[in-house]
Amino acid sequence: MQTTVQSNQGEQIPDRRIALWNIAVVCLILSGLVVVTSRTIADPDLWGHVRFGLDTIQNRGVMRNDPYSYLTAGQPWFNHEWLAEVTFAMAWLVARATGLVVLKTSLWVLAYLLLYWNLVKHIKSHLRVGIILFLSMTLTFPFFITIRPQSFTAVLYVLVLISIMHAEGKIHFLWICPLIFAVWPNLHGAFIAGFGILYLWAALYLLTHRTIGIWKQVFPPLLLSGLALLVNPYGIDLLTFLFQNLADSRLEIIEWQPMQIHSLTGAFFLLWIAIILSCLIFSRKPRNPRFLILLVITAYLPFMALRYTLFFILTAVLVAGEHIGDTWERLMPLSQQSARRTIGAPVLTLITAMMLLAWKWTNFNGIPIKNPEYYPIAAVSILNQSQIIGNLAVHFDWGDYALWHLAPEIKVSLDTRREMAYSEVIYKENVRNMTGIGDWSALLDDHPTQIALVKSASPTDNLMKLHVDWIEIYRDEVSVLFSHKDYVQREQLLRAVTDYELLEVDDYFP
């Protein structure tokens, strides 16, 4: 809608300064989103995601038999992220690391633009909408700094919420959901959260709309959404697998631990709770009890696992955003006169937007490895140059890095796929071996393990020194490489150690 002001003759004419100011603010918000969400680091999962996607493309289909580990015989690989990984692989093939960063940034910018589009209809000021969005990044930052399938989840979860919010007035918006759930199970396992939100809202909605006509409109898209979940390579087996593993706490992984209130994330969470409660009290807009129930439920989820914070903050922005804007308007009303800026304000804002993009355009040049000194770069390089074939016991965090550089000639004992590819027994054997607790050597003694890569100065390192069947091959400050005394290619590996020259370490993926 075009903004107008009163001329001296009393006629309504467009105020181009207001329009230009709004355009400038939108450009500033967009550039800010690009700058912030394009910041990227390589986490331990990235090597695996890209490698799995590349091999899926080469295989021309989803791989059912795991080619990466020597311990997965008979264990099905439920790769519910195969489509996301194929997308990562395609971005890598097109533009290497730049392609991956562009893809990840585009997904997060899209998610935030959807939030922006929904909020700007309720809040008069584009600038205030932008401020609310950037404040939400205090909780979404840990999610968009890495390249992971959860980027797709952010977009699809927002789409589900927007669909059900619009369905309150027009039920036909629910027909978007079957399309979403036909794709989501192939991108990320968090589709269960989106599906749960959809059905919970539907239950609450139908309880308050007990007419046959409404029920007939709601049930078909809901039923089709449920059937759409079966559109994946594993069918109903994928759903069975995921529901069986929901109870697994995964407490050894930080993002699966409950949120700690005394942490920085906990402080931002409490701040958001305080803002939401205050604005719900002072807002003049009607409060939809169904969406408030959804908000309360998602606010509880981070106390189950830190990674669920994403669902809370996205729900908070959509459900409470208009109340935050209305309370802001009550406390600091917008003046029509102040909104009609001089021509200098929008021009300066546009220049600032362009300078932001120019300043951080280097974010797209590569993917830095967080703490490169943490990875066994030298040891893996030795294994790669030795051209040996064997089975490698390796730490959970190093599994994807190792298989990127060494597969398929060297197979690993574990990687970040965890329960997707490994049985619970095998996984626990790996954990005991990594920590040196309990029957730590079962992984080495009960399986055809020929090489072991362990953290230097770790309990496992000390225990390996005492194991009569294992011989130290290489050691540095990060890792230690051991070989079984009967390994037929041990001499070849020793020659590789002798010939190895430490080159300058590249701190960027891969």
Side-chain angles (χ1 to χ4, degrees), residues 41-72:
I41 60 172
D43 71 332
D45 292 47
L46 181 57
W47 286 271
H49 285 315
V50 180
R51 180 59 186 266
F52 303 150
L54 290 170
D55 290 347
T56 301
I57 293 174
Q58 185 177 9
N59 189 58
R60 297 185 178 181
V62 177
M63 293 177 289
R64 304 299 185 96
N65 298 318
D66 179 18
Y68 307 107
S69 175
Y70 64 95
L71 300 175
T72 54

Side-chain angles (χ1 to χ4, degrees), residues 259-408:
M259 183 180 62
Q260 302 298 318
I261 290 297
H262 59 269
S263 66
L264 182 60
T265 300
F268 284 128
F269 175 83
L270 290 179
L271 175 62
W272 265 96
I273 292 295
I275 292 174
I276 291 169
L277 290 176
S278 300
C279 293
L280 286 174
I281 292 173
F282 291 103
S283 174
R284 296 162 296 187
K285 291 183 175 290
R287 299 152 187 82
N288 188 316
R290 289 179 290 277
F291 294 125
L292 292 181
I293 291 174
L294 298 183
L295 181 57
V296 170
I297 290 173
T298 56
Y300 171 73
L301 292 179
F303 296 99
M304 298 174 60
L306 191 61
R307 64 184 294 155
Y308 296 146
T309 307
L310 177 63
F311 302 121
F312 161 70
I313 191 60
L314 295 178
T315 306
V317 171
L318 281 172
V319 173
E322 61 178 300
H323 300 289
I324 295 173
D326 185 66
T327 302
W328 198 341
E329 174 66 17
R330 289 189 67 181
L331 297 175
M332 302 173 62
L334 286 171
S335 169
Q336 183 67 15
Q337 292 298 322
S338 64
R340 298 211 307 272
R341 313 279 175 165
T342 63
I343 191 68
V347 171
L348 182 61
T349 303
L350 285 171
I351 293 173
T352 303
M354 290 186 289
M355 290 179 64
L356 275 175
L357 289 176
W359 174 46
K360 284 298 183 180
W361 196 251
T362 53
N363 285 353
F364 294 94
N365 291 343
I367 305 173
I369 300 174
K370 183 181 181 181
N371 302 325
E373 67 277 2
Y374 175 79
Y375 291 92
I377 297 174
V380 170
S381 297
I382 290 171
L383 288 169
N384 192 22
Q385 294 174 18
S386 70
Q387 297 183 342
I388 63 173
I389 298 174
N391 299 327
L392 174 69
V394 66
H395 193 280
F396 175 83
D397 288 344
W398 294 348
D400 287 20
Y401 179 83
L403 65 84
W404 169 274
H405 293 281
L406 305 175

Side-chain angles (χ1 to χ4, degrees), residues 407-447:
E409 288 78 16
I410 294 180
K411 297 182 183 294
V412 299
S413 63
L414 186 65
D415 57 81
T416 56
R417 290 172 297 163
R418 205 175 180 273
E419 71 279 348
M420 287 192 296
Y422 298 92
S423 68
E424 187 66 18
V425 172
I426 291 297
Y427 178 75
K428 288 182 177 179
E429 282 189 355
N430 274 277
V431 171
R432 289 195 295 268
N433 180 260
M434 289 187 297
T435 57
I437 296 175
D439 189 8
W440 70 274
S441 64
L443 180 68
L444 310 176
D445 301 335
D446 300 342
H447 303 281

Side-chain angles (χ1 to χ4, degrees), residues 479-505:
S479 63
V480 188
L481 190 60
F482 291 91
S483 168
H484 194 275
K485 66 178 183 179
D486 297 329
Y487 180 42
V488 294
Q489 292 185 297
R490 181 161 57 89
E491 293 300 323
Q492 184 176 339
L493 183 55
L494 284 169
R495 286 195 298 271
V497 173
T498 303
D499 298 338
Y500 178 72
E501 293 184 6
L502 182 61
L503 303 176
E504 183 178 353
V505 177

Side-chain angles (χ1 to χ4, degrees), residues 10 29 64 72 82 101 162 166 172 184 189 233 260 358 424 486:
I29 293 171
R64 304 299 185 96
T72 54
W82 72 270
V101 178
I162 291 177
H166 283 75
H172 65 263
W184 201 348
Q260 302 298 318
E424 187 66 18
D486 297 329

Side-chain angles (χ1 to χ4, degrees), residues 230-252:
L230 303 178
V231 184
N232 69 79
Y234 313 97
I236 197 170
D237 290 340
L238 175 62
L239 305 182
T240 303
F241 166 78
L242 290 175
F243 280 109
Q244 287 175 343
N245 286 275
L246 282 177
D248 190 348
S249 60
R250 307 174 182 89
L251 292 180
E252 72 279 9

